Amino acid sequence: LNIHKGDNGRALLCAGSKSYVGAALLSSKAALRTGCGLLHVAVPGGIRAAFYETPSVICHPAGSGFDWDLEAAQTALALIPKMDAAALGPGMGSGEGIAMLLRAALLSKKPLVLDADALNVLAKNPSLFEHIHEKVVLTPHIGEMSRLINKPADEILKSPLETASVASQSWGCTLLLKGATSIIAFGDKVSLNASGNPGLAKGGSGDMLTGIILTLLAKGVDSYKAACAGAFMLGTSAEKAYKLLQERMLLASDVLDALGV
């Protein structure tokens, strides 16, 4: 096929902090394994050295510290206009610059996936909800969903499908509520994903899901289809990894190795 790296999407991942370097690495590697053409990763300058092992990534040191301060946010937001899609959240921590970066990303109207700490910042800044649009994918687990809608987790678990559907319609975006059976909702469309296994119930799985969805968005897949495909790809990769490992404990990196197999 007559295709080059630019045709496979230009994506920006904003991730990582002093305590959560692994989240940024797993998310970026998942994006690459899903076929991202040009992956730009913005991380606090203090952890930039961790990306020397991933030469396929175009790494941008954001600021000079170890967290997402205002200097780091300014560096990252300057990259957004050049991208086909962006992702915020994996391992970002609670730096003071995240809210500013999140607002700029939403206002850019670019395809966007928000996970982890980006969702926590969103929950603490209700005014940002008005900037959410149809190209946004939110990927909360039950605890994060509880914070987003200010509702106890046990109440959400009583009617997760209805909760996801109502929230998606209210915010006008795609919502992927993660669980043993994940619920993907957009407007009046709802899908369930039951692929996967208990090996995904550990740190790093959600970071990889963010990277997968980021690449799909950058390739031009719409938000709902990207979320559905991303959840399925992560789940089936976990199933393949488990078959290869047989009785050994499944690690997040094992699932990463099975992506695209």
Side-chain angles (χ1 to χ4, degrees):
L1 293 177
N2 183 18
I3 192 170
H4 59 80
K5 58 191 177 185
D7 295 327
N8 278 329
R10 292 175 171 83
L12 172 65
L13 171 66
C14 300
S17 58
K18 183 177 182 179
S19 298
Y20 302 105
V21 180
L25 288 168
L26 285 169
S27 189
S28 63
K29 290 178 181 180
L32 291 171
R33 285 292 179 88
T34 311
C36 187
L38 289 166
L39 178 63
H40 297 254
V41 179
V43 296
I47 67 169
R48 190 266 178 268
F51 278 82
Y52 292 155
E53 68 164 63
T54 313
S56 297
V57 164
I58 304 169
C59 191
H60 301 267
S64 55
F66 289 88
D67 295 295
W68 283 90
D69 55 19
L70 294 175
E71 180 188 9
Q74 289 284 1
T75 299
L77 67 85
L79 299 168
I80 295 174
K82 307 171 186 177
M83 303 296 157
D84 297 313
L88 280 71
M92 290 184 80
S94 55
E96 63 177 342
I98 299 175
M100 180 180 73
L101 177 57
L102 178 53
R103 184 176 186 275
L106 289 168
L107 289 174
S108 74
K109 300 299 182 181
K110 297 278 187 176
L112 187 65
V113 53
L114 304 179
D115 183 42
D117 293 313
L119 296 176
N120 293 331
V121 170
L122 180 62
K124 293 176 182 177
N125 295 268
S127 63
L128 292 174
F129 280 96
E130 65 184 80
H131 302 304
I132 294 176
H133 51 85
E134 71 279 358
K135 296 180 183 179
V136 173
V137 180
L138 306 182
T139 61
H141 55 56
I142 293 296
E144 290 161 344
M145 190 65 185
S146 174
R147 292 188 283 275
L148 285 170
I149 64 175
N150 194 28
K151 187 176 182 179
D154 57 352
E155 289 190 24
I156 296 173
L157 289 171
K158 291 177 182 177
S159 54
L161 195 150
E162 180 184 3
T163 299
S165 181
V166 169
S168 170
Q169 293 185 51
S170 175
W171 299 330
C173 68
T174 295
L175 178 71
L176 196 170
L177 182 59
K178 296 181 289 194
T181 297
S182 292
I183 300 167
I184 305 98
F186 178 72
D188 59 357
K189 296 185 288 187
V190 179
S191 294
L192 303 179
N193 179 73
S195 67
N197 55 44
L200 289 174
K202 55 173 55 71
S205 298
D207 304 316
M208 292 189 295
L209 177 63
T210 297
I212 294 168
I213 295 174
L214 171 61
T215 289
L216 295 173
L217 292 175
K219 288 185 174 187
V221 180
D222 72 55
S223 63
Y224 179 68
K225 291 179 181 178
C228 291
F232 181 74
M233 289 173 67
L234 180 69
T236 54
S237 296
E239 292 168 359
K240 292 173 184 176
Y242 185 76
K243 289 179 181 178
L244 293 171
L245 290 165
Q246 296 183 351
E247 297 303 319
R248 287 185 288 158
M249 182 57 68
L250 193 67
L251 303 178
S253 57
D254 297 323
V255 179
L256 181 65
D257 291 338
L259 268 174
V261 174

